[in-house]
């Protein structure tokens, strides 16, 4: 039977490429999204991958979604916590709402979905969790105290949960992407982005596939000895 994989934020950007790659690797993929119906419909039509609308930062919506997926396909044993947003601004301009939105979506979602899938993974004696962190959670970034804190939290969360999952066959790893050519990065002011790219030794932005290939690697059945690790995929911008 195909293993069931949930990819949050899985219909656009890095998440869409992760969903496609896992689908090609023979997984039963469900790609979740929170808002953009048109992009999700187009993604589903072009890939044949099932999409589901719910807010990964909302515990009740996650509870309902996991129950629905489990009833239709069986236990989710591959979870990719990819959903993420930015609300950039220097601390003096950042509002409490900007802080909360990023913490709920980027970090709260990891708690919600790990909490709701972990027991089933334990019963299956198999689980693969990949949390998408960020170079900016490792190194910090001007104008991103909310995002850097949430992503840094993901890295700590990953190492803690890896210790809990190890004896049940559940691996928990993080990927820390650098600057990848997506809508999120294209929203960075052009002059700022130009300076960032100039600091990437490989000399280009990342491609979403660069990250997706890492997810396929970490979620393979054979990857059972890799847990609690962070795979940096950033063109050499930050060597950690
Ligand atoms: N270090 C030190 N000082 C800096 C600086 C930096 N990196 N960037 C700007 N400054 C200084 C400016 O020179 C300016 O100084 P003066 O007032 O003396 O001229 C001051 O800080 C204010 O700068 P801005 O005018 O740029 O401030 P702003 O409030 O208009 O904008 C910002 C701030 C929104 C953070 C904007 O700079 C920005 O968007 N930066 C990019 C943030 C970024 O990289 N986000 C990543 C998004 S992609 C992502 O997050 C994915 C991932 O995982 C990698």
């Amino acid at each position: 039977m195909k293993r069931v994989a949930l990819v949050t934020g899985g219909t656009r950007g890095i998440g869409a490429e992760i969903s496609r790659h896992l689908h090609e690797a023979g997984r039963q993929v469900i790609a979740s999204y929170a808002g953009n119906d048109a992009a999700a419909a187009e993604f589903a039509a072009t890939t044949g991958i099932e999409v589901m609308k719910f807010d990964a930062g909302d515990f009740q919506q996650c509870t309902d979604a996991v129950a629905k997926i489990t009833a239709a396909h069986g236990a989710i044993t591959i979870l990719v916590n990819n959903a993420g947003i930015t609300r950039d601004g220097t601390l003096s301009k950042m509002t409490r709402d900007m802080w909360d939105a990023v913490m709920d979506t980027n970090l709260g979602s990891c708690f919600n979905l790990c909490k709701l899938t972990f027991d089933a993974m334990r019963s299956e004696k198999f689980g693969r969790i990949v949390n998408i962190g960020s170079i900016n959670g490792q190194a910090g970034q001007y104008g991103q105290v909310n995002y850097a804190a949430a992503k840094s939290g993901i890295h700590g969360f990953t190492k803690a949960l890896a210790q809990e999952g190890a004896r049940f066959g559940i691996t928990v790893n993080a990927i820390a992407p650098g600057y990848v050519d997506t809508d999120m990065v294209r929203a960075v002011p052009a002059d700022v982005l130009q300076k960032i790219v100039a600091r990437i030794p490989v000399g280009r932005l990342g491609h979403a596939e660069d990250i997706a290939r890492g997810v396929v690697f970490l979620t393979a059945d054979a990857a059972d000895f890799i847990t609690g690790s962070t795979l940096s995929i950033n063109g050499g911008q930050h060597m950690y």
Side-chain angles (χ1 to χ4, degrees):
M1 221 176 69
K2 285 184 173 186
R3 294 201 189 278
V4 179
L6 172 62
V7 182
T8 64
T11 63
R12 295 196 301 128
I14 291 174
E17 212 51 54
I18 293 170
S19 298
R20 274 192 212 101
H21 275 66
L22 288 176
H23 176 70
E24 280 164 21
R27 308 313 197 175
Q28 178 72 47
V29 178
I30 293 91
S32 83
Y33 71 103
N36 192 331
D37 294 316
E42 194 191 331
F43 174 80
T46 54
T47 61
I49 294 171
E50 181 178 339
V51 300
M52 190 177 282
K53 185 175 185 176
F54 67 93
D55 178 354
D58 181 302
F59 191 74
Q60 189 54 52
Q61 289 187 39
C62 290
T63 305
D64 297 343
V66 169
K68 216 162 136 187
I69 294 166
T70 305
H73 301 290
I76 296 165
T77 53
I78 298 175
L79 171 65
V80 184
N81 286 306
N82 165 76
I85 58 170
T86 51
R87 295 287 182 273
D88 292 352
T90 51
L91 182 65
S92 53
K93 291 181 190 162
M94 190 175 290
T95 63
R96 179 69 204 207
D97 284 350
M98 292 161 80
W99 171 266
D100 287 340
V102 169
M103 293 306 280
D104 286 349
T105 299
N106 298 16
L107 185 57
S109 59
C110 287
F111 173 81
N112 293 344
L113 288 159
C114 288
K115 167 89 184 154
L116 292 163
T117 57
F118 201 74
D119 286 351
M121 291 183 193
R122 271 179 67 158
S123 303
E124 298 287 321
K125 296 189 173 46
F126 178 90
R128 295 282 179 270
I129 297 173
V130 178
N131 299 319
I132 304 299
S134 169
I135 186 174
N136 294 347
Q138 297 170 311
Q141 170 62 39
Y142 188 97
Q144 280 200 314
V145 294
N146 50 2
Y147 188 88
K151 292 295 190 178
S152 184
I154 284 177
H155 295 301
F157 178 101
T158 298
K159 291 175 202 172
L161 190 60
Q163 295 180 34
E164 296 185 23
R167 67 201 166 102
F168 303 112
I170 304 169
T171 67
V172 189
N173 292 288
I175 291 182
Y179 281 73
V180 177
D181 191 10
T182 59
D183 290 345
M184 183 186 276
V185 165
R186 278 179 228 121
V188 173
D191 56 324
V192 177
L193 189 57
Q194 209 173 3
K195 284 185 201 143
I196 290 169
V197 175
R199 293 201 305 267
I200 303 175
V202 167
R204 65 165 174 87
L205 290 174
H207 303 310
E209 305 89 277
D210 297 328
I211 312 304
R213 280 192 285 268
V215 173
V216 172
F217 173 71
L218 290 172
T219 55
D221 286 22
D224 58 341
F225 202 60
I226 307 174
T227 196
S229 71
T230 298
L231 179 58
S232 295
I233 306 180
N234 61 29
Q237 186 182 345
H238 180 66
M239 299 186 191
Y240 190 73

